[in-house]
Amino acid sequence: MMGSMDGNSSTTASTLQEKDVSGLKYFDQLAPLLERLHDVGCEGDAAGNRILHFDQYCMLILLFLFSPVVKSLRGLQQASELKNVQKKLGCSRTSLGSLSESVTVFDPEPLKEIIGELGGQLQPLGRDPRLKDIRQTITLVDSTLLSILPHLTEASLKPTNTSGLVKWRLHTHFEVDRYVPRRIDVTPDGGGDRDERAVLERTVESDRLYVLDRGYAKFSLFNGIVAAASSYVCRIRDNSVYDVLEERPLSSAALAERVTGDKIIALGADSAADKPEHQVRLITISAKPHKKRTIAPGPGCDGTIRLATNLLDVPAEIIALIYHYRWTIEIYFRFFKQILGCRHLLSGSRNGITIQTYCAIIACMLISLWTGRKPTLRTYEMICWYFIGVADLDELLAHLAKLKKHDAK
């Protein structure tokens, strides 16, 4: 995915007008939420010269995410000149230099507290009744890559690939029931402590059921999840080494879900330096074989999906259902990057990308809180139409009422 950080935009100062950002009513509710951020980054400003504060910067980012007419940092700067924007967002006219410099002094960490509070307000959007006995929070974990063209001044400072792109990886914890990310950690792409398994090992929480793909298969990670009083369902590689300790019979419900095996195994070779310190169960599921394509990451499939888990008493068909939800995060990544503005990155720095990412999480949560539904393309578009004055409030409410009527069927 290509991100844009330049100041060019089809929306110029002469075309961006008050009517283009008319639907700012909901920003009245955001100001008290973000107010605690006002003094972040002011520690070294003893003279009180800072004009653009962190809460105002975040409000501008959220305006960028919800307004399709603001497509770049320059467009955001132009929006700050509008009286209506200044009044609703509590900011004054800002310059491109201030917007660019801000991300070097603002610490994104306090945004996590706000995300946690909003997450606490979100009600589960519905769960498959077959998962009623799963008490832990089902959390999908995966990462996605952002590839962006650096500023010329940054090009010599950051490692790039042969295409000249800077790569950042978003390590994401996604809650299935609330349909929002619990957290996203931004790192440069690479191995070592940036590896997706290493990042997850550092961020494991208790009372969660982590659903993972093959890239996360690592014994020390499995042990860390169990030690944190959480659980995992992780696909393992086709050539994984294990000894079968116990064969379990398959129910008709399991067979209906294409489950072909249910075993207790000793995972790993005898010579392995570390091994799982708990009992491991292996569920195998029939799948369509396919070979790896050169444009696709990861290995192919030999016709069997192998799932390792520490859930010993959950029916095999439920384990298969839980893993099926892993594709939800792929759909969300598409929404997150293509719809919520992350294809237009306002900064190429880690701090700037992290702030924009956290604001995008807040935007997703706000859509869910405003609508009572998971964020979708159609609903997001309707909110955007409202923000630029194409749709009025009655039309937006009618759209939401139609969705609720559809849900009730």
Side-chain angles (χ1 to χ4, degrees):
M1 182 196 68
M2 186 72 68
S4 172
M5 297 179 295
D6 60 31
N8 296 325
S9 172
S10 59
T11 302
T12 64
S14 61
T15 59
L16 186 62
Q17 303 172 19
E18 298 284 352
K19 64 181 179 60
D20 294 324
V21 283
S22 62
L24 295 173
K25 173 183 177 181
Y26 284 116
F27 278 80
D28 293 336
Q29 303 171 23
L30 288 175
L33 182 69
L34 299 173
E35 188 177 17
R36 73 193 78 173
L37 305 176
H38 190 76
D39 293 329
V40 173
C42 294
E43 295 79 7
D45 182 27
N49 293 324
R50 174 159 292 282
I51 297 176
L52 180 64
H53 291 263
F54 193 19
D55 56 336
Q56 298 163 347
Y57 180 79
C58 290
M59 294 280 270
L60 286 169
I61 295 296
L62 288 165
L63 175 62
F64 162 79
L65 294 175
F66 281 116
S67 177
V69 297
V70 181
K71 299 180 180 180
S72 67
L73 196 66
R74 185 176 297 279
L76 201 58
Q77 185 274 323
Q78 293 167 0
S80 75
E81 299 177 355
L82 302 177
K83 293 179 181 179
N84 196 25
V85 171
Q86 294 173 4
K87 178 180 177 181
K88 289 295 185 181
L89 274 58
C91 64
S92 58
R93 179 188 179 278
T94 189
S95 65
L96 279 175
S98 294
L99 288 169
S100 299
E101 177 265 350
S102 294
V103 297
T104 66
V105 298
F106 294 151
D107 179 6
E109 285 301 303
L111 284 168
K112 289 184 178 180
E113 180 182 334
I114 295 174
I115 290 170
E117 290 181 13
L118 287 174
Q121 297 177 37
L122 287 171
Q123 298 300 315
L125 299 179
R127 173 182 276 202
D128 191 310
R130 292 173 292 178
L131 299 175
K132 59 182 175 58
D133 294 327
I134 303 297
R135 303 302 180 188
Q136 295 174 315
T137 302
I138 300 176
T139 305
L140 314 178
V141 180
D142 206 347
S143 65
T144 187
L145 199 63
L146 298 179
S147 299
I148 61 175
L149 283 170
H151 288 298
L152 292 178
T153 55
E154 297 172 332
S156 60
L157 303 177
K158 294 187 177 75
T160 62
N161 60 9
T162 55
S163 66
L165 298 176
V166 177
K167 290 190 173 185
W168 295 93
R169 189 165 289 277
L170 308 185
H171 305 267
T172 306
H173 296 209
F174 184 89
E175 290 190 4
V176 171
D177 289 347
R178 291 182 172 85
Y179 205 85
V180 292
R182 174 70 172 81
R183 67 178 295 159
I184 296 180
D185 296 279
V186 181
T187 70
D189 188 38
D193 62 354
R194 306 168 181 176
D195 178 80
E196 54 192 6
R197 295 172 297 183
V199 173
L200 178 54
E201 285 188 78
R202 296 195 298 268
T203 55
V204 167
E205 300 177 1
S206 62
D207 201 30
R208 293 188 174 273
L209 170 52
Y210 291 104
V211 185
L212 314 166
D213 206 12
R214 284 176 285 196
Y216 290 89
K218 184 180 180 183
F219 298 155
S220 61
L221 175 57
F222 293 168
N223 290 335
I225 291 173
V226 174
S230 286
S231 303
Y232 64 87
V233 172
C234 181
R235 185 177 180 183
I236 59 176
R237 297 175 179 84
D238 297 349
N239 61 352
S240 297
V241 176
Y242 57 86
D243 292 321
V244 177
L245 305 179
E246 176 189 344
E247 289 269 7
R248 293 182 167 187
L250 297 177
S251 67
S252 57
L255 293 171
E257 294 298 323
R258 305 195 315 277
V259 175
T260 59
D262 184 356
K263 308 174 178 68
I264 302 297
I265 63 171
L267 188 59
D270 293 337
S271 59
D274 63 320
K275 302 181 73 171
E277 299 168 352
H278 52 274
Q279 278 194 307
V280 177
R281 183 181 179 192
L282 178 68
I283 304 295
T284 54
I285 305 168
S286 175
K288 183 178 180 180
H290 67 271
K291 294 181 179 180
K292 176 184 175 182
R293 296 177 296 171
T294 56
I295 61 172
C301 175
D302 65 357
T304 299
I305 294 176
R306 299 165 177 82
L307 303 179
T309 181
N310 66 315
L311 297 174
L312 304 181
D313 300 321
V314 175
E317 65 272 15
I318 301 302
I319 300 295
L321 175 63
I322 289 170
Y323 183 75
H324 178 74
Y325 274 94
R326 201 199 72 80
W327 296 107
T328 304
I329 198 170
E330 302 291 347
I331 297 171
Y332 181 79
F333 280 150
R334 180 180 177 184
F335 175 85
F336 190 81
K337 292 197 290 187
Q338 296 186 3
I339 307 305
L340 284 181
C342 285
R343 56 183 168 179
H344 301 290
L345 294 171
L346 299 176
S347 170
S349 72
R350 180 175 183 173
N351 238 33
I353 292 174
T354 301
I355 291 171
Q356 185 172 340
T357 297
Y358 288 171
C359 286
I361 295 176
I362 290 172
C364 286
M365 290 182 167
L366 290 175
I367 292 174
S368 294
L369 286 170
W370 292 339
T371 66
R373 303 179 82 253
K374 66 183 181 182
T376 64
L377 173 59
R378 297 284 84 81
T379 299
Y380 170 75
E381 287 176 341
M382 180 58 73
I383 293 174
C384 288
W385 293 136
Y386 169 68
F387 265 83
I388 64 175
V390 174
D392 61 26
L393 182 59
D394 288 340
E395 289 171 320
L396 175 59
L397 294 176
H399 169 78
L400 300 181
K402 182 178 180 181
L403 294 178
K404 291 177 181 179
K405 183 178 179 180
H406 176 76
D407 290 342
K409 291 182 179 180

